Amino acid sequence: MMYRRLAVPLLAGLVVLAGCGSSNKSSTSGTPAAKAPTNAKQGGTLTILSGGDVDYIDPGQDYYQVGYLIQWAVNRGLYSYGASDTKPRPDLATGPPEISSDNKTVTIHIRKGIKYAPPVNRVVTSKDIKYAVERAFSAHVPNAYVFTYLSSIQGAPTKPDPKGVPSIAGIQTPDDSTIVFKLSKPASADVVGTLSLPVSVPVPEEYAKPFDAKNPSTYDQHVAFTGPYMVAHDASGKLTGRQPGKSITLVRNPNWDKASDYRPAYLDKIVMDEGNNDTNVAARRVLTGSGLISGDFTLPPNILKQALTRQKDQVAITQTAAYRSIALNTKIKPFDNINVRKAVFAVYDRQALVLSRGGTAQGTPAWSYLPPGFPGYKESGGSTPPAEFDFAQNFNGDPKVAAEYMKKAGYPSGKYTGSEQPLEVGVAGGTGTKAAEITQAQLAKLGIKVTLRLVPPDAYITKFCGTPKAKVAVCPSSAWGKDFNDGSTMLKPTFYGPAIVAANNVNYSELDDPAVNAAIDKASALPPGPERDKAWADVNKLIVGTAAQIPYQWDKTVNAASKDVAAVLNINNTMYDLNFTSLK
């Protein structure tokens, strides 16, 4: 939600686009998107066609756009986003957070009487939220963002705790309906923003502790749900409704109280049908079928063109706070050389990637990481890269500039002459395969030959690009969306050296640049306002200067639904909202 991490290919992450803050200035065309439909039908089954799986059902680990699609149907956090919300609304919380005058104490009161689904059945308490946050600091529960956003909590570990779930003194529960976060520095903005992410979904310690004692935790297979839906499971809580790589089946949560929730939750059953890697077939099935919506794939250009002419009311196109890029691993030769990375940036025909995704209908040309309408975008230079970035000036590629950078890198001919054949991992199917093949061809222009491997979208994230030990040099289907409306969420998780983790890592480039790290620390300490936005713009430009990734598109998301589906878009996650979508 993205981001968070966006679905690849669309995604993200986003990433969600989930998060806290002011309007994200999203706009939609096609399907009316942002409120409960007037022609909603109670009941029925909806099927989501998806190429890959979610990353996790476990809210402590979930950080993937398609994961959020499921997560916010089966769980409730302190704060969340309704379909049309531009700011988070209280969910388990009774109201907005209470923040002390020194910005170092955050107090939140939670609703009474919210119950877990079977087999837990009991009422949620503040201690469950405390445990949920603490377990995300455990090495057993790889979390991609708590060390980035919640490190200011007093007593929080600085790295994943290898012993299991730590007790964090700065998270206090004076009673069953109150949780207090004590901070070591004035960083309430990041903390409050993070509480609209799945890490604030309650986890019952007495039930989850045996699963969390294992490394990795097996709670992902036994989640205790609080939302209107739950993944089908047996009497012990073991998830029977999830077959990884094949399907996820959601059914109604018998303990969900409609009166306590803003979600209408019309559907009786939701099935995510996975393995739909032929996007041409999947797109046609959605547009001509019944009770179907698109999942983690975008419509191929030829089908999108036809749909916008013949079936416009079945398609939704949304401008998002997200970017797409090609990530180059700065720890792996030859991309450990900044001049090689700049040469790749310079030679790359980014227009080819945009066209492969359907042209400007699905995104606008990008050169940096802060998208239009986002804080810091104008301060960075807007749509035009500053002159200092000669390697980013030509969107169609500039072989002459690229050759000069290769010479600076120690290759007099302007071409790579080393023996390495780095690993490129792409997403199998549709635009993912095209992105991988285009990237392979662009690198070949510089004499860099890669070993190309294509994998499902979820594996791209969880097993390869998100796992440093996999030693992936090039990730061509990378995308990221905001967690909340602040430059930190676009730049800190993905480029901050201390944020690199062994699993569920989102700094695909493994960039650990002292100047970038220092600038991020400086920007993070500033209060909201113009000075902070300017500081994040400076960070944005610093990162572009490292050429750790090649941003090529500020994203638009394309979703499609069958004619008999009253599809409602969530403007933060930019996917259809399962809590508001219904059959007609």
Side-chain angles (χ1 to χ4, degrees):
M1 104 212 130
M2 82 197 193
Y3 66 14
R4 51 345 26 57
R5 193 154 34 195
L6 296 173
V8 280
L10 227 73
L11 197 34
L14 24 249
V15 143
V16 133
L17 298 172
C20 179
S22 59
S23 171
N24 64 359
K25 299 185 180 178
S26 294
S27 60
T28 63
S29 64
T31 307
K35 56 186 179 182
T38 57
N39 56 347
K41 171 185 172 183
Q42 190 70 39
T45 298
L46 179 74
T47 299
I48 309 156
L49 296 188
S50 181
D53 201 352
V54 300
D55 54 347
Y56 301 98
I57 302 292
D58 182 347
Q61 301 184 63
D62 187 14
Y63 201 37
Y64 177 34
Q65 187 185 26
V66 180
Y68 282 25
L69 173 74
I70 300 296
Q71 190 67 238
W72 293 119
V74 299
N75 275 317
R76 301 177 65 178
L78 286 173
Y79 299 91
S80 61
Y81 288 81
S84 61
D85 292 343
T86 57
K87 295 182 180 180
R89 68 167 74 196
D91 196 343
L92 290 181
T94 59
E98 300 168 4
I99 302 172
S100 63
S101 58
D102 63 359
N103 285 318
K104 294 172 69 174
T105 301
V106 178
T107 302
I108 298 169
H109 303 284
I110 70 170
R111 298 177 189 272
K112 298 177 181 179
I114 307 298
K115 292 181 69 175
Y116 289 104
V120 176
N121 292 311
R122 70 165 174 82
V123 169
V124 171
T125 74
S126 57
K127 292 181 177 62
D128 300 330
I129 299 169
K130 171 180 167 66
Y131 181 74
V133 176
E134 288 175 336
R135 68 189 292 274
F137 283 90
S138 167
H140 298 189
V141 186
N143 182 284
Y145 55 86
V146 292
F147 293 94
T148 302
Y149 298 140
L150 299 183
S151 61
S152 63
I153 297 175
Q154 292 178 9
T158 57
K159 58 183 179 180
D161 193 326
K163 298 179 181 179
V165 179
S167 178
I168 300 177
I171 308 176
Q172 302 171 3
T173 53
D175 57 56
D176 283 350
S177 59
T178 305
I179 187 164
V180 180
F181 297 89
K182 296 283 188 178
L183 312 182
S184 58
K185 56 185 178 181
S188 63
D190 279 355
V191 172
V192 169
T194 307
L195 298 179
S196 64
L197 302 182
V199 73
S200 76
V201 167
V203 176
E205 181 175 3
E206 77 282 3
Y207 171 76
K209 195 170 184 177
F211 307 123
D212 289 344
K214 300 176 182 179
N215 190 6
S217 170
T218 57
Y219 182 67
D220 187 58
Q221 303 164 34
H222 304 82
V223 176
F225 302 105
T226 51
Y229 301 98
M230 61 184 187
V231 179
H233 54 265
D234 63 21
S236 72
K238 172 76 173 178
L239 303 188
T240 57
R242 184 184 183 192
Q243 301 180 56
K246 295 182 180 179
S247 66
I248 299 174
T249 300
L250 308 186
V251 296
R252 285 198 169 275
N253 173 2
N255 291 341
W256 177 65
D257 179 10
K258 186 175 183 178
S260 74
D261 203 336
Y262 65 86
R263 302 164 177 86
Y266 299 108
L267 300 159
D268 286 338
K269 185 178 180 181
I270 301 167
V271 177
M272 190 161 94
D273 181 1
E274 302 166 11
N276 295 280
N277 293 321
D278 188 327
T279 55
N280 285 283
V281 171
R284 289 193 180 99
R285 280 185 63 192
V286 170
L287 291 169
T288 61
S290 175
L292 302 172
I293 62 172
S294 58
D296 65 355
F297 64 90
T298 191
L299 272 64
N302 59 318
I303 294 179
L304 175 60
K305 183 178 180 180
Q306 292 175 6
L308 290 175
T309 301
R310 304 172 188 174
Q311 298 155 301
K312 188 175 181 181
D313 61 343
Q314 292 179 237
V315 177
I317 300 177
T318 312
Q319 180 67 56
T320 69
Y323 65 83
R324 291 188 177 274
S325 65
I326 301 94
L328 304 175
N329 194 319
T330 61
K331 303 298 184 188
I332 297 177
K333 293 183 180 296
F335 307 115
D336 57 342
N337 187 314
I338 188 173
N339 288 311
V340 170
R341 299 196 301 270
K342 288 181 177 180
V344 175
F345 201 135
V347 82
Y348 207 110
D349 181 359
R350 289 171 278 160
Q351 180 68 15
L353 273 179
V354 173
L355 291 174
S356 77
R357 294 184 53 78
T360 54
Q362 299 198 50
T364 53
W367 64 273
S368 81
Y369 307 98
L370 298 182
F374 200 79
Y377 168 76
K378 289 183 179 179
E379 294 87 346
S380 296
S383 62
T384 304
E388 64 196 86
F389 302 127
D390 58 343
F391 53 85
Q393 296 298 323
N394 193 330
F395 202 70
N396 298 105
D398 192 328
K400 291 183 179 179
V401 172
E404 290 303 311
Y405 276 110
M406 288 302 289
K407 292 174 183 177
K408 290 179 182 179
Y411 302 102
S413 68
K415 295 287 183 71
Y416 182 64
T417 55
S419 59
E420 288 80 13
Q421 191 164 333
L423 174 64
E424 176 188 353
V425 173
V427 174
T431 58
T433 296
K434 290 180 181 178
E437 291 173 347
I438 290 170
T439 299
Q440 184 180 36
Q442 301 301 310
L443 291 169
K445 293 178 182 178
L446 298 176
I448 300 173
K449 296 180 180 179
V450 297
T451 299
L452 177 59
R453 181 172 181 180
L454 299 175
V455 300
D458 53 301
Y460 177 89
I461 289 171
T462 58
K463 295 182 180 180
F464 292 96
C465 292
T467 304
K469 70 178 181 181
K471 298 189 181 302
V472 181
V474 185
C475 294
S477 286
S478 302
W480 190 260
K482 69 168 187 176
D483 286 326
F484 43 95
N485 215 45
D486 184 77
S488 65
T489 74
M490 299 297 285
L491 303 173
K492 195 171 183 180
T494 44
F495 297 106
Y496 189 50
I500 298 171
V501 290
N504 214 4
N505 178 56
V506 295
N507 185 342
Y508 289 172
S509 301
E510 295 187 57
L511 182 68
D512 191 4
D513 184 291
V516 171
N517 294 342
I520 287 175
D521 287 335
K522 178 183 176 182
S524 298
L526 295 172
E531 186 180 357
R532 182 180 176 94
D533 294 346
K534 174 63 167 59
W536 283 116
D538 291 341
V539 174
N540 182 39
K541 290 187 284 187
L542 265 178
I543 295 168
V544 172
T546 70
Q549 293 191 23
I550 305 168
Y552 67 88
Q553 180 173 289
W554 289 307
D555 221 16
K556 295 179 184 176
T557 303
V558 179
N559 294 283
S562 296
K563 193 173 183 178
D564 62 346
V565 176
V568 177
L569 196 74
N570 186 297
I571 63 173
N572 285 277
N573 198 39
T574 66
M575 299 185 81
Y576 290 130
D577 193 318
L578 302 180
N579 297 300
F580 286 81
T581 293
S582 70
L583 301 181
K584 292 180 181 177

